[in-house]
Amino acid sequence: MDPVNAVSDASDARAIESLLAFWSDAGADAMLRESPVDRIAEGQRAPPKPAAPARGAVAAQAPQPARAGPETTAAVADAKRLAAEAPDLAALEATIAAFDGCGLKFEGAKRAVFSRGNPEGPLMIIGEGPGADEDSQGAPFVGRAGKLLDRMLKAADLEGRVFITNTVFWRPPGNRTPTLAEQLACRPFLERAIALVKPRLLLLAGGASAKSMLGREEGILSLRGRWFDWKSEDEAMEIPAMPTLHPAFLLRQPGAKKRAWQDLLTLTERLDRPDRPKD
Ligand code: URA
């Protein structure tokens, strides 16, 4: 059966299943709109857009506005007020799920994805944003990249000592990099999570997390493995933070695992032997 043409027979459930399987195998695993968009006709009218960078990509992001627009400013103000009212992580999770100020919520995400791990742990890992597996299961880093992350944490003796979350709490469609506006709208919740967990160290997984948390322009290859002081917006919190390569990048470039492993060892050293002089 030609699965593409089978769509004309909408009454045939098996044909629809087969068509969905065909698209799923081709990587189309999310429905973004109610009606189809003819990208071929669109492409004939306008020059093609550059492809979205892959999750955890090390290349520079597309330029983003340095300042937030008025809608983002209002969303951030709302988020700050709501985040401050959350007395604990459970309340914060419920507040995030009910928040409508981040556009990602309305771009096909199934649910809000907040955190997993040990809220008493000394280390907080902040990734970029949920992917398809996280969107389905409701927890961060549970797909292939997350499994690799878990193996690395176990090998570094960090298993069970880590709280994991992301810069945004809804899956960006097609796993594109979250925009600055989306990250800003989620930031007050992330800051509240940091205030509640009180980690001793932060590990920033991938360029999108490192750049937005530290406000730096350099690429992840230059930021990784170095210590920075992350400060909350009101500067009341200051925590040592290390950027590292994103596990999704390591899956595509296994040769880079050595550098991520070095970063983890440097971090573990500081965590477990805080009195040693730092570089
Ligand atoms: N990549 C991320 O940055 N975060 C996740 O939760 C999963 C994959």
Side-chain angles (χ1 to χ4, degrees):
M1 173 175 35
D2 171 359
V4 176
N5 293 325
V7 75
S8 58
D9 185 6
S11 61
D12 183 343
R14 287 208 351 252
I16 293 172
E17 269 171 24
S18 163
L19 178 63
L20 288 174
F22 168 82
W23 283 119
S24 172
D25 287 348
D29 60 358
M31 199 178 82
L32 303 181
R33 300 228 165 87
E34 287 296 325
S35 48
V37 178
D38 186 344
R39 299 283 178 207
I40 295 172
E42 239 180 26
Q44 282 157 357
R45 284 194 296 273
K49 288 190 188 156
R55 176 56 51 91
V58 296
Q61 272 176 252
Q64 296 191 15
R67 279 168 192 280
E71 269 180 34
T72 306
T73 310
V76 172
D78 258 6
K80 276 187 188 163
R81 182 179 47 78
L82 293 165
E85 286 167 5
D88 54 33
L89 289 169
L92 185 60
E93 180 166 18
T95 302
I96 292 170
F99 181 63
D100 287 343
C102 175
L104 288 173
K105 183 173 183 175
F106 306 99
E107 288 195 45
K110 291 194 183 93
R111 71 190 82 223
V113 175
F114 176 43
S115 71
R116 73 174 170 97
N118 181 358
E120 309 284 326
L123 176 64
M124 184 184 280
I125 298 181
I126 303 174
E128 179 175 322
D133 293 311
E134 291 72 25
D135 189 44
S136 298
Q137 296 178 46
F141 282 104
V142 291
R144 279 182 68 226
K147 302 262 180 299
L148 172 60
L149 178 65
D150 284 348
R151 285 198 299 277
M152 292 175 70
L153 293 174
K154 186 167 184 192
D157 208 16
L158 288 167
E159 191 182 31
R161 304 167 68 199
V162 177
F163 184 87
I164 304 177
T165 187
N166 279 306
T167 63
V168 294
F169 304 114
W170 290 268
R171 180 194 181 194
N175 290 350
R176 67 162 169 74
T177 305
T179 65
L180 179 68
E182 289 156 358
Q183 288 175 320
L184 286 177
C186 292
R187 180 63 50 86
F189 302 117
L190 179 55
E191 288 209 359
R192 183 72 186 133
I194 296 173
L196 290 166
V197 172
K198 300 187 186 65
R200 284 190 13 233
L201 300 179
L202 300 177
L203 183 65
L204 309 175
S209 168
K211 288 183 190 184
S212 88
M213 292 300 287
L214 301 174
R216 311 275 306 201
E217 287 303 318
E218 301 102 301
I220 187 65
L221 291 178
S222 123
L223 293 173
R224 64 148 280 271
R226 293 160 55 191
W227 287 110
F228 296 87
D229 279 327
W230 171 81
K231 287 194 183 125
S232 56
E233 202 202 333
D234 62 4
E235 306 208 342
M237 292 185 286
E238 188 170 328
I239 301 176
M242 176 182 283
T244 192
L245 299 172
H246 194 288
F249 174 71
L250 301 179
L251 289 173
R252 294 192 299 276
Q253 303 277 338
K257 281 183 187 166
K258 193 173 156 200
R259 281 177 281 177
W261 180 243
Q262 275 167 357
D263 298 347
L264 264 193
L265 293 185
T266 310
L267 184 130
T268 316
E269 180 79 8
R270 184 157 186 176
L271 209 52
D272 293 337
R273 297 213 248 152
D275 301 332
R276 268 196 86 226
K278 287 116 204 155
D279 13 71

